[in-house]
Structure formats: C-alpha cells, structure tokens
C-alpha cells in the first residue's frame, strides 16, 4: 500500500472511531419497510452495528460500501434468508407495513412471497423457461387453472422484458439462455409471485455492460410497481439507478441521503473518500 | 468539510492528473495576471511595444484554455469523477472561461495602448484609471491565491470586494460623462478611457465569478447570483459535523 | 522508473534461458511417466485377459448338455399306473426299469453283468424325471414306445462333447465308453445342445442336472429386499444429516459412526443377523429376507455417504433461489435438491448393490450355505446366492462341477456388468435434466 493510501486508511479508522451517527437522514413519506436498531452477529463477531434504515414505496434504494461492510448481510435480513445460516443472530426490528417480520407468529414462507430476492449469479432452475417462472405460482397456488398460469407467466416475462425473446421457446431449458437473459428470467420468476418488495444482491456483477444496462433499464420500469432495494459494488450503477443511497462502512450506516446529493456533495468524509476512490 | 483532499486516490495516476489540472489553471491564471499588468502598464505609459507583446500574448492564453478544456473532458470520460473531484473539474471548466475573457480584456488594453501611443493626445483621468486598475489587479491576485489555497472564506471575502470596484467604476464613469458633456471635443479620447474602465470592471466581475466557483468547489454550495448577506449566512450554516479535531 | 524497467527486462531474458535449458529434462521425465502409466495399464489388461480367458474356457462347456435318444416302452401296468393316471401319479412312478430295458435293447450284444451296469451309467440319474416330464406333457404316450431324449451322464457328456477329445485316461472303462458313444453317434442317438437346464433347475448332486436358477433367484430376492430397505432409509438419512441435523455433538457422533460402519468386516453383520433376526426374532433361516436385511445394514453406509456427497454437490444457489421464492424447506429439497443429486445417489446405490451381490461372508453366517435344491419362490423360502453357489460347487471334485463353478462366475460377472450398465443409463437419464 502506498504511503498516501496508508494515511487515508489511518484517517478512515479515526473517523470510524469518532463516528457519532448516520448523517444526512432522509425520512421517506411513504414507508414500505422500516429497519431499526439492527445488530447482526455471526457467532461472536458483530457484522452490523445499530443500523437504522427504511425503504419507501416505489423507490429504488441503493446500498453501497466496500467489501465486507455488511450490506449484503443487511439485505438478506430483510427477507429472513439469514435464517438458513445457523451462526447468524439478528437483533433489532424489521417492520413490513408495520408488522415485525421476525415475530414468532410470522410465516417465513409468506414473507418470502411478499419480499422477493434476485441473486448475484443468475440461478435459474434446471427446468424449462415456463416451469421456472411458473414454479412460484404453483407452490403458492396462485393460479387455479392452466390458463391463469399461462397468463401469469406471460405477464411476468413481459414485465421482465424477456417475453419477446423467449415466447417461441418456453419449453427450452432456462440454463440455455445468455447471462443477461438468465438474470431477467430470475427477475421474472421473482415477480411471478407478485411480491411487494424486490431485493437485489449485486444483480449485474456477473453480466457484461450491455446486459447490465438492460437490467438497469428494467429496474427503472419495475420501480412503478415494486419497491426495490439494491446492493451494488458499482457506484456508478447506484448513481444511475437509485433515488436514495445508503453508504455502509465496516458494519455501520455512515450516510443516507438522496442519490444526487451523495454523489455531488456528501456530508461525511468517509462517504466522500469511498465515492471518489480514495478508499475501498 | 473544510479541507479538500485532492490527492490520496488509490490511483496514483489519477492524483497526478488532477494535480496537473490545477497546476495548469494556476499557470494560466499567472499568465493572465501578467497580461493584465502589462496591458495596464502599456496603456498608462503609452508603450506601444509592450502593447504589442500583450496583444500577441493572448494567443497563448486561448491555447491554454483549449488544452485545459481537453484535459477536463478526458478526466470526465475516463474517471467519472464524483463529489469533490467532480466539483473540481466543473470549477476548472468554468474558471478558465472567465480567465480567457480576462485575457481578452487585457488584450484590449494592449490594442488601445498601440493606438494611443502614436497620438499626442494624453487623455485625462488616467490617475483614476490607474487607481481602479490597481484595485482590480489586487482582487485578481487574491482570487488566484484563493483558488490555489482552496480557501473558501478568503474567496467569499474577495468576492465581497467587487462591490467596491463597481462603486469606483460608477463614480469614474460619472466623472467621464460630465467631462464629455462639458467638452465635446474631448469625447473621443475620453471614450477610450471609458472603454478601459469598463474593461477593468468586467475583469473584476470575472474574478468575482471565479471566487464563487471556489466556494462551490470547497463547500459544495452554489452561491452564484446570491447577495453577500445571504452568502455569509449560508457559510455559517454549513459547519461540518464530521471532523474530530 | 527507468531502472525498474531495465531490471524487469533483464530478468525476463534470464528466465527464458533458464526455462529453455530445463525443458528437455522435464519433457523426458513426463515421457517416462507416461510410459510407466501405459505399461501399468498394459500389464493389467494382460492379466485381465488371462483371467477372463481361463474362466471362459473352463466355463463354456457347462453351457452345453448332452442328450441320448432312447426308445422307452411305457406300459402302464409295468409302471404301476392306471390307464388314465393323474399328474402326481405320473411323477411318482418309477421309470428306472423301463430306461434300463431300453438301453439293453440298444446294445443287445452286452450280456455280462458288469457290462450292463456300465451301460446303465450312460444316462444321468435325472433321466427318470425327464421321462415323467414327457409323459405329463403328452399323456398319450402311455402304453406306447416313445422316443425320449434324456440327459447323458456327465462323464459321457465330457467324452461326447468333443469328437476329437483325447482323454488322458486310457483305461478300459473309458475305451468302452468311447465305443458306446460311437455306436450311438452312428445311430444319431446322441446330441450336444445348449444347456437350458442350467437356468431352469436348482442345485443337484448330479453335476449334469445341477442348475443355477436357485442361486439366481435367491440373489434376486436378496437384492430386492436389500434395495427396498437400504435405498429409502439411506437417502432419507442422508437428507436428514445434510439438511436438518443441528450441528452439535450428537450429529458428529452419528456421522463418525456411519463412516466407521463402512469399514466393519462383513462377517460381523452376519453375526448380528444370526443373533438378532434368527435367534431373537425367529425369522426363517437361510431366507432371502434375512439375507436382505443383513446386506442392507452393510450397504446403508455406502448409500448414505454417497448420497451425502451428492447432496453437498448441489449448488446452494438453486436452494437459495427456491427458498427466496417462498418454498418451504421440504419443498426445496424434494423439488430441487434431490432431483439434482439423483445421479450421485443412484451411482452410490448401484455400487452398494453390486457390492451386496458379491457378498458371501454374512450370508454364510445366517445359513444360506445349505444345499438347496428347490428354486425359492418367495423371500421367506430358503435360498442361496450366486457367490455361495460358486463356493459350494468349487468344493466338489467332479470335472463337471469345476466347469459349472466357472460358468457360475461368468453369470455373476454378467450380472455385475448389467448392474453397472443400468447405473450408467440411469445417470444419463437424470443428467439430461441439467
């Protein structure tokens, strides 16, 4: 590491130690999901420290930060995917439309039908395109006959901007599509169960620039019907795609604000350092 | 956030590019400052040779503007600067435009000097012109210093001095107008003085603009087209809560 | 800046030279290694060819049977039968005398008692059964003289099989037999055919009548029971251990025990079988049911370990995707994880089954070593299995039994190859889904 970078590193640690709380909070008028005082532990290691965040209706919230800062962990808490990890312990409150999703009466299966997730590496099932999209509706019983199911599949594929490319080969294997198409298939699969929130964990990091651009365009369209929280490594992507941005650093939410402010004039020095490429 | 770290990017080369950009702007500023000083000197001492040097020197100023513009475009395309880096590039693009205009005004001095050097006519009110010129030179120097030091408070104060320059210019122009009314034969020569005074006032305005850009660069607040009182109020508003010191 | 560049440049040229210098040695070493590999493969192929050839050569004769056509007078009163006897009476009647008289009729020139006794040894002691079979099939033959093909004795068969056969034995008896065979052949009364009987009958004291069907059925029933028990239990245990078991000490102990079970000597399972199933639960001895239970205990660790490996190899991203859509854990496992793990699970199962097919030690303990003539009809009938049949036959000195031992080994190997082929087919079938 160069001397200058070392100095920045030291300075950043000092700033972190002096961290007094999230700056630039922007309260959303129309709140869909609210997260308060969230602490997450993996065995004895604490991964997230007192994070307070909310997700508004029909907005795209981007979460950025260097590797290991906890943003993916936080995202996975929002649909209780961290339940599958034994060593993970979550404290704090996650409210979806006012109800605590970690409450004892909460059905995790129902929650995940309301809060969908798209993963980093496209992971279509090894089934046909039709079966991929139809799987969710089938297990939740959303269609009472074949026609309704066909309709759901067609609508989802259209909303995911994939219909025109695959309408003639719905029986072809889902894994035979290109990377960008596979990711759109995964998105179609997610929206087939009509979720209210879509969580995206670095959805474009495995894709080429053109596929990335089409997915970003898709996110913009999806915003009209869903609330979206997206974790991304690419600051430019966060800048292009989101209305609000949250900057995480070593498990703490440093700054939360409107995207245009964060990228032209961030309040906190740590945010400034990350965005301008002085750290991370 | 009162201190701007322009260095310490992870990419050394990016650091160098930004540094280079600032240096070039300061060089251009220095050249323009020199042009103004020489132009005024040529004008006030009726030095046609110096006037010609100033006249020719404007080419270099224009060339620098083009070069720096290209450098900015390249940084925008290749680095996608954000936050303070973005503000720096925006500031530079605007500042060189103003600097180039200052250079054009200085060129005018040179032309007038070359014109007047031949005639026997010595226009009146040169002392007032010299006084105005000294004020403007001082403001210009401080402006460039503020840019070099990224000093937002200093820039704010320097911007405030534009009012004095405007007042000085207004009183001088009243004097010149009354002189022209009294003695119509003198109109031609007085007009030359008039145009020069106006040029000086314009230089003051451009320096004022550059000060505003410096405040935007450092503070992230756009203070163009706001009054001085509101600016000072806004300055007090943005006390950064982040420095532990 | 320039210094570093020059240093780097120098290093590159040096390195290239060094690499080039060492290349010849490296390639030579690799060639030697390759050659040793090829040699090893060639030697093992040679041994394999040798083994196969010797088994096949020894076993092929067992697939042939020699038959002698006799004209037998089937007089009802001489046989002690009524004119319209039932099938049971037909089977109970004694045809020995009739057979002997037909032999005498064939060779009327033999008068001495010793000669006659040797003549009677031309046909197998299975011959009366065959006469009964012929009568049952066609009762109209009663009270007539029928031409029936009966099984020749195994030593006659050995002599008759190869016309140019030169026996090492040149004693009188063998010479006489040759004469008889020649006479029969002149009459077109002796034939060597494919030995279908080998696959239709169970074991017998007479080598020419000894068949493999009993052992084949016994093996099939045993494997059936083994598969029925070990596959569901094994797969379910693997799913539990991989997906549901909490990571605590108890689970660790279970895992260690399963892995160790795979290394337990198989005869210990036989002891368990005797003590628990036969002595305590009083299950029938020598039955494929008990054999199947014991073998499934042996196969379970193999299946569990292979299934766990297959389950582990399913990419977790698929399970994540299903969970994120709102599938419950059971749905995720049954709709996505298990189907994807099927190829590995099936391979493990077939390997386990193939091992079970060739097991004999535990089955010996539970008594499947008895001499069993009847072909088992169900899982509770006493039976034996292929490897044990091989062992039993290898004990007998008759040449024909030696041939049958090799033939049984060939059948066993064919079974194994078929099972492996089935494994490959099933894997391909499931892998296509990807």
């Amino acid at each position: 590491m160069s001397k200058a970078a070392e100095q920045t590193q030291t300075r950043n640690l000092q700033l972190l130690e002096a961290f007094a709380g999230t700056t630039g909070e922007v309260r959303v008028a129309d709140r869909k999901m609210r997260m308060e005082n969230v602490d997450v532990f993996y065995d004895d290691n604490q991964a997230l420290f007192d994070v307070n965040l909310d997700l508004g209706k029909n907005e795209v919230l981007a979460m950025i930060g260097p590797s290991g800062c906890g943003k993916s962990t936080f995202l996975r808490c929002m649909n209780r995917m961290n339940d599958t990890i034994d060593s993970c312990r979550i404290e704090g409150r996650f409210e979806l439309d006012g109800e605590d999703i970690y409450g004892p009466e909460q059905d995790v299966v129902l929650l995940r039908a309301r809060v969908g997730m798209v993963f980093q590496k496209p992971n279509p099932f090894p089934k046909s395109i039709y079966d991929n999209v139809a799987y969710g509706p089938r297990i939740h019983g959303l269609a009472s006959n074949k026609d309704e199911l066909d309709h759901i599949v067609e609508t989802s594929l259209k909303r995911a901007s994939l219909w025109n490319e695959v309408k003639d080969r719905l029986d072809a294997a889902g894994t035979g599509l290109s990377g960008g198409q596979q990711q759109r298939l995964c998105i179609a699969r997610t929206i087939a169960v009509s979720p209210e929130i879509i969580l995206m964990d670095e959805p474009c990091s495995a894709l080429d620039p053109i596929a990335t651009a089409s997915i970003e365009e898709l996110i913009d369209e999806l915003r009209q019907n869903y609330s979206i929280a997206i974790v991304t490594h690419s600051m430019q992507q966060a800048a292009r795609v989101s209305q609000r941005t949250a900057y995480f650093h070593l498990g703490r939410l440093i700054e939360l604000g409107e995207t245009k402010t964060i990228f032209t004039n961030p309040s906190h020095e740590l945010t400034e350092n990350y965005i301008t490429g002085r750290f991370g | 956030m009162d201190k701007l770290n322009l260095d310490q990017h992870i990419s050394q080369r990016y650091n160098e590019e930004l540094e280079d950009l600032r240096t070039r702007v300061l060089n251009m500023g220095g050249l323009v400052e020199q042009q103004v000083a020489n132009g005024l000197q040529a004008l006030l001492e009726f030095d046609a040779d110096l006037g010609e040097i100033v006249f020719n020197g404007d080419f270099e100023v224009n060339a620098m503007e083009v070069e720096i513009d290209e450098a900015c475009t390249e940084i925008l395309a290749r680095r996608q600067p954000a936050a303070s880096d973005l503000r720096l590039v925006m500031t530079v693009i605007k500042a060189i435009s103003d600097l180039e205009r200052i250079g054009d005004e200085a060129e005018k001095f040179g032309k007038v000097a070359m014109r007047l050097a031949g005639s026997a006519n010595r226009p009146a009110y040169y002392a007032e012109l010299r006084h105005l010129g000294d004020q403007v030179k001082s403001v210009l120097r401080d402006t460039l210093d503020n840019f070099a030091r990224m000093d937002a408070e200093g820039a704010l104060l320097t911007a405030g001095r534009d009012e004095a320059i405007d007042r000085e210019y207004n009183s001088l122009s009243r004097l010149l107008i009354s002189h022209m009314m009294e003695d119509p034969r003198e109109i031609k020569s007085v007009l030359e003085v008039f145009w020069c005074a106006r040029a000086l006032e314009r230089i003051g305005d451009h320096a004022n603009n550059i000060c505003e850009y410096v405040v935007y660069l450092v503070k992230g607040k756009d203070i163009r087209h706001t009054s001085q009182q509101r600016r000072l109020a806004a300055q007090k508003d943005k006390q950064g809560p982040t420095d532990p010191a | 800046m320039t210094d570093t560049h020059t240093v780097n440049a120098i290093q590159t040229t040096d390195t290239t030279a060094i690499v080039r210098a060492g290349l010849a040695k490296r390639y030579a070493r690799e060639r030697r290694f390759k050659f040793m590999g090829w040699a090893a493969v060639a030697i093992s192929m040679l041994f394999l060819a040798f083994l196969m050839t010797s088994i096949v050569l020894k076993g092929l004769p067992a697939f042939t049977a020699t038959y002698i056509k006799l004209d037998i007078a089937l007089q009802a009163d001489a046989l002690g039968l009524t004119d319209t006897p039932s099938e049971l009476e037909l089977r109970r009647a004694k045809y020995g005398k009739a057979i002997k008289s037909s032999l005498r009729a064939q060779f009327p020139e033999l008068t001495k008692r010793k000669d006659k006794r040797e003549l009677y040894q031309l046909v197998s002691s299975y011959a009366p059964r065959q006469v009964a079979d012929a009568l049952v099939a066609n009762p109209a033959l009663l009270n007539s003289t029928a031409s029936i093909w009966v099984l020749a004795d195994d030593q006659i068969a050995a002599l008759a099989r190869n016309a140019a056969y030169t026996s090492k034995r040149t004693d009188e008896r063998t010479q006489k037999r040759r004469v008889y065979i020649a006479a029969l052949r002149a009459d077109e009364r002796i034939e060597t055919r494919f030995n279908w009987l080998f696959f239709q009958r169970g074991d017998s004291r007479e080598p020419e009548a000894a068949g493999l069907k009993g052992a084949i059925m016994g093996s099939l029933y045993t494997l059936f029971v083994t598969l029925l028990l070990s596959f569901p239990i094994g797969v379910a245990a693997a799913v539990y251990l991989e997906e549901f078991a909490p990571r605590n000490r108890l689970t660790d102990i279970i895992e260690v025990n399963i892995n160790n079970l795979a290394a337990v000597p198989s005869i210990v399972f036989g002891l368990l079988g005797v003590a628990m199933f036969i002595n305590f639960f009083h299950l029938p001895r020598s039955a494929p049911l008990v054999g199947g239970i014991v073998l499934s205990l042996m196969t379970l660790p193999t299946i569990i370990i292979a299934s766990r490996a297959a389950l582990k190899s399913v990419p977790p991203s698929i399970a994540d995707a299903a969970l994120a859509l709102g599938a419950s854990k059971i749905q995720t496992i049954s709709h996505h994880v298990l189907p994807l793990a099927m190829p590995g699970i099936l391979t493990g199962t077939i390997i386990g089954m193939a091992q079970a097919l060739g097991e004999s030690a535990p089955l010996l303990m539970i008594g499947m070593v008895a001499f069993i003539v009847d072909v088992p009809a169900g899982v509770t009938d006493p039976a034996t299995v292929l490897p044990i049949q091989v062992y039993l036959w290898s004990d007998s000195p008759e040449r024909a039994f030696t041939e049958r031992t090799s033939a049984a080994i060939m059948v066993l190997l064919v079974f194994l190859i078929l099972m492996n082929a089935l494994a490959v087919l099933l894997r391909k079938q499931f892998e296509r889904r990807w």
Side-chain angles (χ1 to χ4, degrees):
Chain A
M1 210 194 271
S2 72
K3 185 109 193 315
E6 256 183 72
Q7 283 173 346
T8 321
Q9 189 82 289
T10 326
R11 171 119 182 95
N12 285 341
L13 285 169
Q14 285 172 343
L15 285 169
L16 198 60
E17 259 152 58
F19 177 65
T22 311
T23 57
E25 288 192 40
V26 175
R27 286 259 162 246
V28 212
D30 213 358
R31 199 188 295 122
K32 187 72 192 164
M33 194 163 175
R34 174 186 180 164
M35 282 73 70
E36 280 182 337
N37 306 116
V38 175
D39 292 303
V40 176
F41 300 83
Y42 286 107
D43 285 328
D44 290 326
N45 300 325
Q46 189 161 2
L48 286 169
F49 300 80
D50 197 27
V51 176
N52 293 281
L53 192 56
D54 51 9
L55 177 64
K57 271 209 180 98
N58 296 41
E59 77 156 348
V60 179
L61 171 72
M63 295 189 253
I64 60 174
S67 300
C69 65
K71 47 192 200 292
S72 281
T73 305
F74 188 76
L75 193 76
R76 286 169 63 98
C77 288
M78 290 166 75
N79 70 345
R80 291 183 65 168
M81 281 301 282
N82 280 336
D83 285 5
T84 59
I85 301 176
D86 286 332
S87 57
C88 186
R89 193 173 85 242
I90 298 167
E91 289 168 11
R93 200 167 162 79
F94 285 80
E95 274 181 17
L96 174 60
D97 285 339
E99 291 165 28
D100 184 10
I101 65 177
Y102 280 89
E105 340 73 46
Q106 273 301 327
D107 188 354
V108 119
V109 164
L110 180 60
L111 171 71
R112 293 195 187 132
R114 295 175 69 191
V115 181
M117 188 173 237
V118 176
F119 296 86
Q120 183 173 342
K121 187 169 165 306
N123 52 8
F125 300 131
K127 301 182 185 207
S128 69
I129 295 174
Y130 185 91
D131 283 333
N132 259 288
V133 183
Y135 181 71
R138 276 201 184 116
I139 57 173
H140 290 298
L142 294 177
S144 43
N145 57 40
K146 181 100 183 2
D147 285 330
E148 277 183 36
L149 192 60
D150 286 346
H151 179 72
I152 292 180
V153 169
E154 185 176 333
T155 315
S156 308
L157 285 170
K158 277 192 175 143
R159 281 217 186 131
S161 305
L162 193 58
W163 175 252
N164 285 332
E165 292 168 46
V166 300
K167 63 180 179 220
D168 301 323
R169 47 180 177 137
L170 289 176
D171 285 330
T175 43
L177 300 170
S178 77
Q181 289 173 321
Q182 281 188 18
Q183 193 65 302
R184 274 181 278 158
L185 178 62
C186 293
I187 293 176
R189 177 177 71 185
T190 307
I191 61 185
V193 296
S194 301
E196 297 160 47
I197 296 178
I198 302 180
L199 306 174
M200 297 195 174
D201 193 351
E202 299 186 42
C204 300
S205 49
L207 304 177
D208 68 80
I210 295 180
T212 301
S214 63
I215 301 273
E216 287 177 7
E217 179 68 20
L218 180 58
I219 292 176
D220 205 38
E221 283 168 29
L222 290 175
R223 183 161 70 92
Q224 295 164 26
N225 295 318
Y226 311 96
S227 308
I228 300 179
I230 174 169
V231 164
T232 177
H233 261 150
S234 160
M235 290 178 286
Q236 284 80 36
Q237 179 170 84
R240 288 191 291 266
V241 140
S242 65
Q243 282 76 55
R244 287 193 304 145
T245 302
Y247 172 63
F248 283 79
H249 186 101
L250 288 181
R252 290 177 174 79
L253 175 59
I254 304 293
E255 190 168 344
L256 170 65
E258 298 207 357
T259 300
K260 64 175 189 247
T261 314
I262 297 265
F263 283 93
T264 51
N265 192 16
S267 310
H268 201 286
E269 194 176 330
L270 282 172
T271 320
E272 165 95 28
N273 286 349
Y274 179 69
I275 288 177
T276 52
R278 293 194 178 91
F279 169 71
Chain B
M1 213 169 29
D2 296 321
K3 270 254 177 310
L4 266 185
N5 298 329
L6 282 183
D7 55 353
Q8 301 180 339
H9 289 89
I10 293 173
S11 164
Q12 262 308 97
R13 195 149 297 174
Y14 189 24
N15 280 342
E16 286 163 16
E17 283 171 15
L18 290 176
E19 261 316 298
D20 182 60
L21 198 64
R22 280 188 60 218
T23 311
R24 283 206 222 186
V25 172
L26 290 173
N27 286 346
M28 186 179 175
L31 179 60
V32 161
E33 222 184 320
Q34 190 67 35
Q35 287 280 92
V36 169
N38 287 347
L40 273 176
Q41 193 183 333
L43 180 67
L44 295 170
E45 288 168 16
F46 302 98
D47 188 344
D49 292 325
L50 190 57
E52 196 170 344
I53 290 173
V54 168
F55 180 70
N56 291 330
D58 193 52
F59 287 118
E60 197 180 333
V61 171
N62 292 344
M64 282 180 108
E65 188 203 9
V66 170
E67 271 172 32
I68 297 176
D69 232 346
E70 269 175 27
C72 289
T73 311
E74 192 177 329
I75 290 185
L76 283 175
R78 289 178 59 226
R79 301 283 179 184
Q80 287 108 42
S84 53
D85 298 335
L86 177 64
R87 297 200 302 273
L88 172 67
V89 175
M90 298 295 294
T91 299
V92 164
I93 291 175
K94 292 188 189 145
I96 57 177
S97 173
D98 281 282
L99 283 176
E100 194 267 335
R101 297 261 172 80
I102 297 178
D104 284 343
E105 305 296 343
E107 188 200 15
K108 280 194 196 133
F109 294 154
K111 277 200 273 198
V112 171
M114 289 197 298
R115 242 200 330 268
L116 288 184
S119 82
N121 230 339
R122 293 290 185 256
Y125 300 105
Y126 252 35
E128 285 84 351
L129 203 61
R130 187 189 298 270
H131 186 242
L132 185 60
D134 285 338
Q135 266 188 301
V136 167
K137 275 196 291 190
S138 164
V139 162
L140 183 58
R141 188 182 329 119
D142 288 340
T143 302
L144 292 171
D145 273 344
N146 289 327
F147 180 82
R149 287 194 318 263
M150 305 280 194
D151 185 355
E153 281 85 20
L156 214 50
L157 290 173
T158 311
R161 282 154 65 185
D162 189 53
E163 264 187 63
I165 292 180
D166 285 343
R167 270 200 305 272
E168 182 99 7
Y169 164 71
N170 283 335
S171 69
L172 179 56
S173 71
R174 274 197 296 276
L175 268 176
L176 293 173
I177 288 173
S178 54
H179 190 99
M180 281 194 284
M181 287 198 305
E182 279 169 24
D183 197 351
R185 291 171 302 158
E186 304 266 294
I187 288 183
K188 194 152 182 256
S189 57
V190 170
L191 274 178
E192 300 280 12
V193 177
F194 200 86
W195 298 142
C196 290
R198 190 156 174 104
L200 281 173
E201 191 264 337
R202 283 232 179 90
I203 292 176
D205 280 342
H206 286 307
N208 181 44
N209 287 348
I210 295 178
C211 287
E212 287 170 357
Y213 304 151
V214 173
V215 172
Y216 171 67
L217 167 60
V218 176
K219 294 285 187 181
K221 275 206 185 301
D222 197 338
I223 59 166
R224 289 177 298 172
H225 318 299
T226 36
S227 72
Q228 185 64 352
Q229 294 103 314
R230 261 192 258 151
R231 288 176 189 178
L232 289 170
Q235 214 263 63
K236 286 205 184 66
D237 206 9
K238 190 142 189 212
Q239 298 298 330
T242 59
D243 272 334
Chain C
M1 256 320 159
T2 30
D3 285 339
T4 336
H5 280 318
T6 335
V7 167
N8 285 339
I10 289 176
Q11 280 178 340
T12 333
T13 23
D14 262 352
T15 324
T16 314
I18 295 175
V19 168
R20 188 176 292 133
L23 272 181
K25 232 191 198 166
R26 284 163 64 182
Y27 284 144
R29 209 180 321 145
E30 279 179 27
R31 269 196 300 271
R32 275 199 301 274
F33 186 70
K34 247 199 207 165
F35 171 72
M36 285 197 285
W38 276 114
V41 171
I43 291 177
S44 28
M45 295 306 287
L46 212 66
F47 274 110
L48 186 67
F50 180 68
L51 178 68
M52 285 290 118
T53 321
S54 71
I55 290 182
V56 167
L57 282 180
K58 261 199 238 157
L60 268 182
F63 291 104
T64 60
T66 309
Y67 287 82
I68 297 179
K69 184 159 85 173
L70 291 178
D71 300 325
I72 307 177
L74 297 164
Q75 300 303 325
D77 41 350
L79 292 166
L81 292 168
T82 61
D83 275 336
T84 48
S86 67
E87 188 180 321
L88 195 58
E89 288 171 344
L90 280 174
R91 290 219 183 271
R92 279 224 185 110
K94 303 258 180 278
Y95 300 97
K97 276 212 172 110
I99 291 175
K100 284 183 184 157
S101 66
S102 86
L103 277 170
R104 281 197 305 270
Q106 203 58 36
F107 292 89
E109 64 277 13
L110 296 174
T111 44
K112 277 200 268 187
R113 221 167 117 162
K114 195 167 128 205
D115 288 337
K116 281 192 206 167
R117 259 215 305 273
E118 280 176 20
L119 186 64
Y120 299 151
Q121 282 174 354
L122 273 181
V123 298
S124 157
S125 52
Y126 185 64
R129 273 279 295 270
Q130 289 180 303
V131 176
D133 285 341
L135 265 179
V136 166
N138 188 2
L141 289 172
L142 197 54
N143 288 325
S144 72
T145 303
S147 289
I148 304 179
W149 287 92
V150 294
L151 209 55
D153 187 67
D154 60 316
Q155 287 170 329
I156 301 295
L159 285 172
R161 241 197 322 263
N162 192 350
Y165 177 65
T166 321
S167 170
K168 289 198 201 73
R169 299 155 64 184
T170 45
D171 56 304
E172 202 188 317
R173 198 155 61 153
T174 317
Q175 301 287 46
K176 275 202 202 144
R177 282 180 176 160
R178 284 220 193 88
V179 168
Y180 298 152
I181 292 173
L184 285 170
R185 196 163 273 137
D187 252 352
E188 287 180 352
R189 281 186 174 273
I190 186 165
E191 247 180 33
T192 305
R193 307 175 186 163
F194 184 78
N195 188 6
W196 289 111
L197 218 56
F198 190 56
F199 295 106
Q200 290 165 348
R201 293 212 63 223
D203 202 6
S204 165
R205 288 269 176 257
E206 297 292 317
E208 65 273 2
L212 208 49
K213 187 172 182 189
I216 294 178
M217 295 310 291
S219 270
L220 280 176
Y221 283 128
T222 312
L223 274 185
F224 176 67
V225 174
T226 309
L227 185 66
L228 205 65
L229 282 177
S230 56
F231 183 72
I233 297 179
V235 173
V239 169
Y240 170 75
L241 284 172
E242 267 309 298
E243 301 286 340
F244 292 97
R247 304 255 171 269
N248 57 22
R249 245 193 110 93
L250 181 64
T251 312
D252 288 338
I253 293 177
I254 295 178
E255 280 185 27
V256 166
N257 277 330
I258 290 180
N259 289 342
N260 285 340
L261 268 178
V264 168
S266 50
I267 198 146
V268 173
F269 289 99
L271 284 170
L272 175 72
V274 172
M276 280 277 305
F277 302 120
I278 296 187
N279 289 344
F280 191 72
F281 285 117
H282 298 298
L283 290 176
R285 221 182 178 73
S286 296
L289 180 64
V290 184
I293 297 177
V294 168
L295 285 180
S296 71
L297 286 176
M298 272 183 56
T299 325
L300 265 178
T302 312
I303 294 184
I304 292 178
I305 293 173
S307 302
R308 284 193 75 183
L311 286 167
K312 266 203 248 270
S313 74
V314 175
S317 57
I318 300 284
D320 271 348
L323 283 173
L325 280 175
S328 68
K329 188 148 185 175
I330 301 270
Q331 278 174 325
T332 307
I333 294 174
S334 52
H335 292 169
H336 296 110
V337 178
L338 261 186
L340 285 176
M342 258 311 146
I345 294 179
L346 284 176
T347 308
T349 309
I350 303 253
I351 290 177
M353 290 297 118
Q355 273 180 346
L357 178 63
E359 264 316 317
S360 44
L363 302 176
L364 289 173
M365 293 295 304
I366 62 158
M368 289 177 97
V369 72
F371 172 72
I372 298 183
V373 175
D374 295 318
V375 175
V379 292
T380 45
D381 288 341
T384 187
V385 290
L386 277 169
I388 295 182
Q389 186 69 82
V390 168
Y391 164 66
L392 287 173
W393 280 347
S394 67
D395 246 357
S396 308
E398 285 100 326
R399 187 196 178 85
F401 271 130
T402 314
E403 293 165 0
R404 274 160 174 74
T405 308
S406 297
I409 293 178
M410 284 164 68
V411 171
L412 186 56
L413 286 176
V414 165
F415 256 93
L416 286 171
I417 293 176
L418 281 178
M419 287 181 75
N420 275 307
L422 181 65
V424 170
L425 222 90
L426 281 173
R427 280 193 65 164
K428 273 219 166 72
Q429 172 68 22
F430 275 97
E431 266 177 353
R432 221 187 295 143
R433 298 279 192 80
W434 264 113

